[in-house]
Amino acid sequence: MVSPPPPPSAAGAHHRTRLTIPIVDSKRRIIALLGGEPRDKERWKLVVDGAAKEMEQREERIRLSAREYQHRRAQEEYAALTCGPSFGTGQTEPGDLHTNVANTAVTDELMHHKFFLDIVGFTMLLMSIYAPRLFARYQKCKDDLLAWKQLRWNFDCSVLAACTWNFGRAVTRPHRDFGNLAPGWCPVTALGDYNPDLGGHIILWELRLIIRFPPGSTIFIPSAIITHSNTPIQPHEKRHSFTQFTSGALFRWVANGNRTDDDFLATASPEEKAQRDQAAGTRWEDGLGFFSTLDELELLYKTQ
C-alpha cells in the first residue's frame, strides 16, 4: 500500500481552462502536462461524448469475476479492461495480453472506433511536441519490439503499447503504476458525465496539486513515480477513463537484446555486463534527461 505525503492544498491548484499547460520542476523540465483540448471545441465534444457513450453501451457485455472489480486502484468497484503488448506475470517473453472472448470483443470494438482513434492521435501529437526525446524513446522501443516479433500493437499511430478502459465510476485511490517506465508518460483521458467542480479532480500527491479534471481532458504524468488519485464524484454520476502506457519490462527486454534479465546474466559477455552496470549507475539522471525543458522547446520551435 502506498503511503502518500500529507494532502495537498487546493488553493490555487485548480485548472479551469482547457489550454495545454506544462507542469515543470525547479530545472524547468516538463515532468507532466495538462493536455487541454483541440481548438475545434465543438468537434472535440462530439468525440469525447461519443467515446463515453460507446463505453457505456458495451459495459453490460463485460465479463469479469467479482474479485476483478475490486482492484488495488479503485475507491469503489468498477470494470477495467486492458489490451496490448506487455511482459510480466509469468510470461517468458513479451506478448499480447489475453482475456475472455466477450471482453476481447469489447476492447476490439473500442480500439477500432474513430472516437478513440481521434483521442489517441491528439495525445500522440501533444507528446511528440512537449516531450520529443521521450516520444523518440518510446518509438525506438516500439520499432525494436516489432522488428523482433509481430506483436499486435493497439494503435498504429501510437508509440504506447497498451491501454486500459475504466468503466462506470472510475475513481481511484492513491497509487502508483509501478510497472510502467519510471520516467515515462501515461496519458489519462477523463470521460463521462460528472460535475468537475464537485468531483473527479486528479490529485498529484508529491507535487501537492489538486487539478480540476473535466470530461474530455487529458493529463500526461509519470505514473510510476508520482502518486495519483481522484476525488469522489456524486452518487448519480458516471466517470470513465482511458489510459495509455508501456510496461517498463518491455524496455528492459529490448535493452537486454530481446532477453529476460536471467537470460542476459547467463549469456552476456563481460563487456555487456559492464555496460549494463555502468548504465545502472546513471539511470536516474539519464531518465530525467528524457524530459524536455521549456527553454529548449522555446528555442527548438522558434527556429523551425
Side-chain angles (χ1 to χ4, degrees), residues 111-141:
M111 187 167 52
H112 291 95
H113 199 284
K114 178 172 174 51
F115 293 147
F116 286 99
L117 292 171
D118 286 346
I119 291 172
V120 171
F122 178 59
T123 58
M124 289 301 100
L125 176 64
L126 288 177
M127 188 172 176
S128 67
I129 292 172
Y130 285 90
R133 280 194 299 276
L134 189 60
F135 185 89
R137 186 181 189 190
Y138 277 97
Q139 182 67 63
K140 184 178 186 306
C141 182

Side-chain angles (χ1 to χ4, degrees), residues 6 54 57 66 100 142 153 158 185 203 209 225 246 268 274 294 299:
E54 294 298 325
Q57 289 176 343
N100 59 50
K142 174 184 178 180
W153 210 262
S158 177
W185 271 3
I203 304 175
L209 290 175
I225 57 176
T246 296
L294 288 176
L299 180 62

Side-chain angles (χ1 to χ4, degrees), residues 162-232:
C163 62
T164 298
W165 287 271
N166 299 298
F167 295 78
R169 292 180 58 81
V171 177
T172 64
R173 65 181 68 191
H175 69 284
R176 300 187 192 105
D177 301 308
F178 48 78
N180 294 347
L181 180 68
W185 271 3
C186 173
V188 181
T189 301
L191 301 167
D193 183 14
Y194 61 93
N195 186 334
D197 293 325
L198 300 180
H201 303 68
I202 188 167
I203 304 175
L204 306 181
W205 288 83
E206 287 81 6
L207 303 185
R208 300 181 63 79
L209 290 175
I210 301 173
I211 300 169
R212 185 176 182 270
F213 199 19
S217 298
T218 295
I219 188 169
F220 299 73
I221 58 173
S223 63
I225 57 176
I226 292 182
T227 307
H228 51 288
S229 63
N230 301 113
T231 58

Side-chain angles (χ1 to χ4, degrees), residues 131-161:
R133 280 194 299 276
L134 189 60
F135 185 89
R137 186 181 189 190
Y138 277 97
Q139 182 67 63
K140 184 178 186 306
C141 182
K142 174 184 178 180
D143 292 343
D144 289 344
L145 283 168
L146 296 184
W148 164 72
K149 184 177 182 180
Q150 193 57 44
L151 298 167
R152 186 188 183 205
W153 210 262
N154 287 343
F155 300 95
D156 290 340
C157 66
S158 177
V159 298
L160 299 172

